[in-house]
Amino acid sequence: PKHSESFYSSYGSDPVVVEAATQLLDTYINEQNVPLSTMLKIIIDRRMSKGDKGEVCAIALIGEAYRNAVRKENPNSTYLSDPTQADVLFAAGCSFKGWLLELAPYDKAQSIIKSFPPTIPGEEDECLDNWIETAIIRPTHYVHQEGNSVKTGPTDLRAAFLRGAAFIPPPNHPGIDIIIIVLLNPKAHPSKWRFTVLIIQVKRRTEVASGLGSFDLTLETAGITLQDNVTPYFALAMELGETKDKERIETGNIPTRTYHPSNKNQMYSFGIWGCSEDVLKPIKSGADRERYLSLLSLPRATTENGWEETNDLLLKLQAIYSMGKEKRDLYKWLPPWAL
C-alpha cells in the first residue's frame, strides 16, 4: 500500500507469493527497519499479551538472521545487484550453520555449533557440527497449525520444507512456539532426504519463579515424529526478558523438563538469555536495540489484557474474599447480572 506500513492477505502458502513478499519485506527493512517500527506502532496502539510480544520479537529476529544468511550465501543473486530484476533468492534457503552464525555473535554461535547433547557430552562424533555440516533451512513464512492435538510426521515436514514454511503450533499447545524444518542431507536424492526440526520456545520473563525455569522442548511435547530413532533434533530456548547483566548463551544444559524422552532421538539444546547485540546479532546498537526493547516492554499492568474496552473495568476491580455472611457486602461492586 501507499503508506508502506502493512497490509493483510490470505493465501494457500504459495511459494511465489512468499518470495515476492519476503523480497518486499527485505527492501523495507533496509530502509530504516520499517517493519519493526510498524510492529511497534501496532503493538502500542493495540495491546498484546506478554507472551505474544515475545513471539513476535523472536520471529522478527529469526527472520532477519535468515535473510542475512541467504544474502551472504547467494552473492551472485540478481536481487542483490538490481531488485527490480530479481530472481528467486530467499526461497533458496540457507545453511543451518550460516543461520546460527547470523543469529548470534560469532564466538557464541561457534559455541553452539561445537556443542554436544546433554546425554553424551564430549564425544567428538556427536558434535552438533557433524550433523549440520550440510543441513539447510527455508523458513520464508509461518503457518499456523490448527487442532487440539497436532501430530506432525515425516510427510508433513517434507511438505512444509518444500513450501518454505515453518510451523506455529496452536495456542493450547504447551511449551512450543515455533517449529523450523531442517533438511540434513540436501545433496541426497529427494527420496532419501532426511528431515528433522528445530523446536523453539520463547519467554519474555524478567524473573523466573523457583521451579518454573524449565522448558518442554521435546518431540513428544511438539507432537512430532521423525522418520527414525537415530535422527537428532534441535531445541532453542529464548528468554528475551532477561536483564542486561544476566545476558548469556548456554548449550547442552538448558533446564529442560525431559532430557530423556521415550524415543531415542538425541536432543541438541541451546538457550539465549537477553535481547541485545551482545547475544543476538540481528540487533544493532543504538536505535535498533531501543526498538526491540520497546517491542518487549509492558508499560502498564493492563497491557497483559488484550481488550481495550475492559481496561477501565480492570482498574476498578476490588479484592474478593470469602469470609462468611457478614462479609457479603464485599460483592456489592458487582453488577446484578453477574451474581
Side-chain angles (χ1 to χ4, degrees):
K2 186 175 181 180
H3 53 66
S4 300
E5 290 189 352
S6 63
F7 62 91
Y8 176 84
S9 65
S10 179
Y11 60 92
S13 187
D14 187 293
V16 176
V17 176
V18 171
E19 175 68 24
T22 306
Q23 290 190 12
L24 184 63
L25 177 65
D26 186 66
T27 300
Y28 286 157
I29 283 182
N30 291 332
E31 298 173 1
Q32 300 180 348
N33 215 334
V34 171
L36 183 59
S37 300
T38 300
M39 281 195 296
L40 180 58
K41 180 174 181 286
I42 292 173
I43 289 174
I44 290 176
D45 292 345
R46 297 183 180 181
R47 289 166 178 79
M48 293 178 63
S49 71
K50 181 168 60 176
D52 287 343
K53 283 191 171 191
E55 291 170 28
V56 169
C57 190
I59 289 175
L61 292 164
I62 290 168
E64 187 164 353
Y66 173 73
R67 291 188 296 274
N68 290 341
V70 171
R71 281 195 296 267
K72 185 171 291 186
E73 295 178 3
N74 297 273
N76 297 322
S77 170
T78 58
Y79 170 81
L80 300 178
S81 57
D82 185 3
T84 63
Q85 302 294 325
D87 57 4
V88 172
L89 174 61
F90 297 106
C94 70
S95 67
F96 188 26
K97 186 186 298 187
W99 175 75
L100 287 173
L101 289 168
E102 292 299 323
L103 181 67
Y106 181 81
D107 58 334
K108 294 180 173 64
Q110 286 293 341
S111 70
I112 296 172
I113 294 169
K114 300 299 182 182
S115 65
F116 300 88
T119 52
I120 48 173
E123 295 187 20
E124 198 61 36
D125 290 345
E126 299 298 332
C127 176
L128 174 61
D129 196 15
N130 292 336
W131 282 106
I132 65 172
E133 184 176 0
T134 60
I136 63 174
I137 60 174
R138 301 180 67 222
T140 59
H141 65 295
Y142 297 81
V143 175
H144 281 272
Q145 295 177 305
E146 295 183 353
N148 294 326
S149 180
V150 176
K151 300 297 181 183
T152 306
T155 302
D156 304 307
L157 299 181
R158 173 184 289 269
F161 180 85
L162 291 174
R163 285 190 170 273
F167 291 133
I168 295 180
N172 61 351
H173 214 63
I176 308 298
D177 297 309
I178 303 167
I179 300 171
I180 294 178
I181 294 84
V182 182
L183 174 59
L184 293 174
N185 57 340
K187 296 182 180 180
H189 188 276
S191 64
K192 303 293 184 181
W193 276 353
R194 192 177 188 182
F195 292 98
T196 188
V197 291
L198 169 63
I199 301 171
I200 303 174
Q201 184 173 8
V202 183
K203 296 292 185 182
R204 189 229 155 276
R205 301 181 290 194
T206 53
E207 295 183 6
V208 181
S210 176
L212 297 179
S214 56
F215 298 85
D216 284 326
L217 294 169
T218 63
L219 294 179
E220 288 91 343
T221 304
I224 294 173
T225 303
L226 301 181
Q227 61 196 68
D228 56 48
N229 290 332
V230 179
T231 304
Y233 67 101
F234 318 113
L236 168 59
M238 301 183 75
E239 280 276 12
L240 298 178
E242 188 58 87
T243 55
K244 181 75 173 175
D245 59 317
K246 296 181 180 179
E247 289 185 335
R248 64 196 186 278
I249 289 181
E250 295 184 2
T251 62
N253 59 346
I254 307 306
T256 305
R257 293 190 180 98
T258 309
Y259 266 139
H260 302 280
S262 59
N263 58 44
K264 304 298 182 181
N265 303 86
Q266 288 289 353
M267 175 182 66
Y268 289 80
S269 59
F270 54 101
I272 299 175
W273 277 260
C275 190
S276 77
E277 64 275 15
D278 293 337
V279 290
L280 288 162
K281 189 175 177 180
I283 299 179
K284 312 301 187 294
S285 59
D288 192 37
R289 182 171 183 268
E290 291 303 316
R291 287 192 187 100
Y292 278 102
L293 293 178
S294 298
L295 189 62
L296 291 170
S297 66
L298 293 172
R300 297 190 307 182
T302 54
T303 304
E304 186 69 12
N305 178 69
W307 296 99
E308 174 74 25
E309 59 270 22
T310 61
N311 283 339
D312 290 338
L313 292 176
L314 285 173
L315 292 172
K316 294 177 182 178
L317 290 182
Q318 301 178 30
I320 299 177
Y321 300 94
S322 297
M323 301 175 65
K325 295 180 180 179
E326 68 279 6
K327 296 294 182 181
R328 284 183 178 176
D329 61 336
L330 288 174
Y331 296 88
K332 63 184 180 181
W333 59 275
L334 286 169
W337 57 265
L339 298 174

